[in-house]
Amino acid sequence: MLRRTLLAASASTRLRTAITAAALTRNVVDRFVAGETTADAVAVTTRLLGEGLLASLDHLGEDTTEPEHAAAATQEYETLLGLLAAAGLSGGGTASPAEVSVKPTAVGLRLSPHGEKTATENIARICAAAQAAGATVTIDMEDCEAVEPTLRIAADLRAEFPWVGSVVQSYLRRSERDCAALAEAGARVRLCKGAYSAPADEAFTSARGVDGSYARCLRMLMSGPGYTMVATHDPRLIRIASAQAVRSGRGRGSFEFQMLYGVRPAEQRRLAEAGQRMRVYVPYGGDWYGYLMRRLAERPANLAFFLRALASRG
Ligand code: FDA
């Protein structure tokens, strides 16, 4: 119930204005967001790489309704990729220490009348910049409505950029079918639980259902020929992934763990120190509202942290 309320709040313009304007929110934002500027993102990436971690950078923003905003977001990714290359933080293609994650609705998917075409063209520009930087691009998965067009965009782009990564959300009932379709040689697939809400006929609604689906998808991906990106903080699923990797005879360079910036940082370091590839998803930029609300929805303790920060300044 609380999760649904917070996810609904993530789409409320009135709440967005009130919460974004409150300077007191800063403490909480800083925990999950790497900073506002491209320079902040590069500085945090440099630090994480120095700790033996990898990074996927996400320029915050979603549900863009103005073509100029979609163009500006695309330009931001191009600039970022140039800076990552200049700082020696990218290179090696699929083994690149830093890569980027892109939300199709941030680069035009919801623009009418040609949103899908605009998003495809903009992500293609980002892919070209990534290729020049020796980095990769993973296309984030958003709400249910975005799933089909996002998979089509990724499939289109893979013809020219075979390393473009896709995301499967295990809360969706369709996720095993999507894993089967994506399990091909060279395919990079990030498996996560899913941070949005969806109707019960399309999604598992219990934690057990979502976790069971995650484990089944994991088995399909790990035993297939592609590169698997295990995106979860869940200790049980991390154990299952490690065991599955051994069962599937996967070497350490053929899959990676992924976690969000600010979530279980000690576990991130532990996995990296144990020799695993551990990539941190690093969001940055001023448009953090929707992202922050999804993090609060995931964990009641985060909401308590948020409310305490508000009260302590009140
Ligand atoms: P779960 O939420 O069950 O948490 C398991 C445990 O992890 C918790 O008990 C707690 O200890 C810890 N934890 C989890 N979330 C926390 C938080 N916010 N703060 C503190 N502790 C927390 N989703 C999506 O729909 N589309 C996408 O493209 C992506 N991309 C993505 C990339 C990466 C790298 C990650 C790690 C996650 C995503 N997600 C995503 C988000 C994902 O779908 C999911 O919402 C979160 O990862 C939380 O799910 P867990 O698997 O961690 O399990």
Side-chain angles (χ1 to χ4, degrees):
M1 175 64 179
L2 178 63
R3 178 172 188 270
R4 270 210 308 278
T5 309
L6 284 163
L7 288 178
S10 73
S12 156
T13 314
R14 206 153 50 87
L15 269 177
R16 169 189 288 263
T17 309
I19 292 181
T20 311
L24 29 147
T25 317
R26 200 63 245 174
N27 276 354
V28 190
V29 177
D30 288 346
R31 174 170 166 199
F32 295 111
V33 175
E36 299 248 331
T37 66
T38 327
D40 292 333
V42 172
V44 167
T45 303
T46 305
R47 174 171 64 74
L48 293 172
L49 267 49
E51 293 171 11
L53 299 161
L54 311 170
S56 185
L57 288 99
D58 163 48
H59 179 249
L60 289 164
E62 51 200 83
D63 294 333
T64 298
T65 51
E66 305 295 331
E68 313 80 76
H69 292 173
T74 305
Q75 174 67 59
E76 169 61 31
Y77 274 106
E78 292 175 311
T79 304
L80 171 69
L81 284 156
L83 289 174
L84 291 173
L89 303 175
S90 62
T94 51
S96 182
E99 66 133 30
V100 296
S101 290
V102 181
K103 286 190 172 39
T105 72
V107 292
L109 184 60
R110 299 235 153 96
L111 297 177
S112 90
H114 301 301
E116 188 170 333
K117 182 167 175 287
T118 306
T120 308
E121 286 167 2
N122 284 339
I123 301 176
R125 276 175 50 193
I126 297 169
C127 286
Q131 185 146 283
T136 47
V137 176
T138 302
I139 305 181
D140 284 341
M141 192 57 84
E142 301 173 79
D143 57 17
C144 290
E145 223 178 282
V147 172
E148 280 293 339
T150 299
L151 289 172
R152 277 197 300 271
I153 292 172
D156 254 23
L157 292 173
R158 261 196 290 277
E160 187 175 355
F161 307 103
W163 38 259
V164 166
S166 284
V167 175
V168 173
Q169 299 156 312
S170 74
Y171 83 130
L172 294 181
R173 295 182 187 274
R174 58 177 290 161
S175 54
E176 283 174 76
R177 264 180 291 129
D178 288 336
C179 285
L182 287 165
E184 53 184 57
R188 294 171 58 254
V189 182
R190 173 194 295 158
L191 178 62
C192 66
K193 289 189 186 179
Y196 299 80
S197 52
D201 59 333
E202 292 184 42
F204 297 103
T205 46
S206 68
R208 207 183 144 141
V210 176
D211 290 2
S213 165
Y214 196 106
R216 291 191 298 278
C217 289
L218 197 53
R219 196 160 47 238
M220 288 176 79
L221 293 172
M222 283 288 211
S223 55
Y227 185 80
T228 307
M229 302 181 274
V230 184
T232 183
H233 314 92
D234 188 326
R236 183 169 156 268
L237 291 175
I238 291 170
R239 276 199 305 278
I240 291 177
S242 303
Q244 186 64 52
V246 173
R247 262 200 303 280
S248 311
R250 287 221 169 216
R252 284 192 170 160
S254 68
F255 73 102
E256 66 186 44
F257 289 103
Q258 297 192 340
M259 294 190 199
L260 303 176
Y261 180 73
V263 179
R264 302 200 69 203
E267 176 66 0
Q268 295 175 11
R269 284 192 297 275
R270 185 192 71 78
L271 285 165
E273 279 160 18
Q276 300 288 0
R277 287 171 65 83
M278 173 67 237
R279 194 175 298 276
V280 183
Y281 184 99
V282 181
Y284 75 97
D287 193 0
W288 42 258
Y289 176 77
Y291 181 86
L292 179 72
M293 295 311 273
R294 289 194 292 279
R295 301 294 76 79
L296 297 182
E298 269 151 22
R299 205 172 175 234
N302 288 341
L303 184 60
F305 177 68
F306 179 60
L307 294 173
R308 266 201 310 279
L310 291 182
S312 67
R313 300 288 195 88

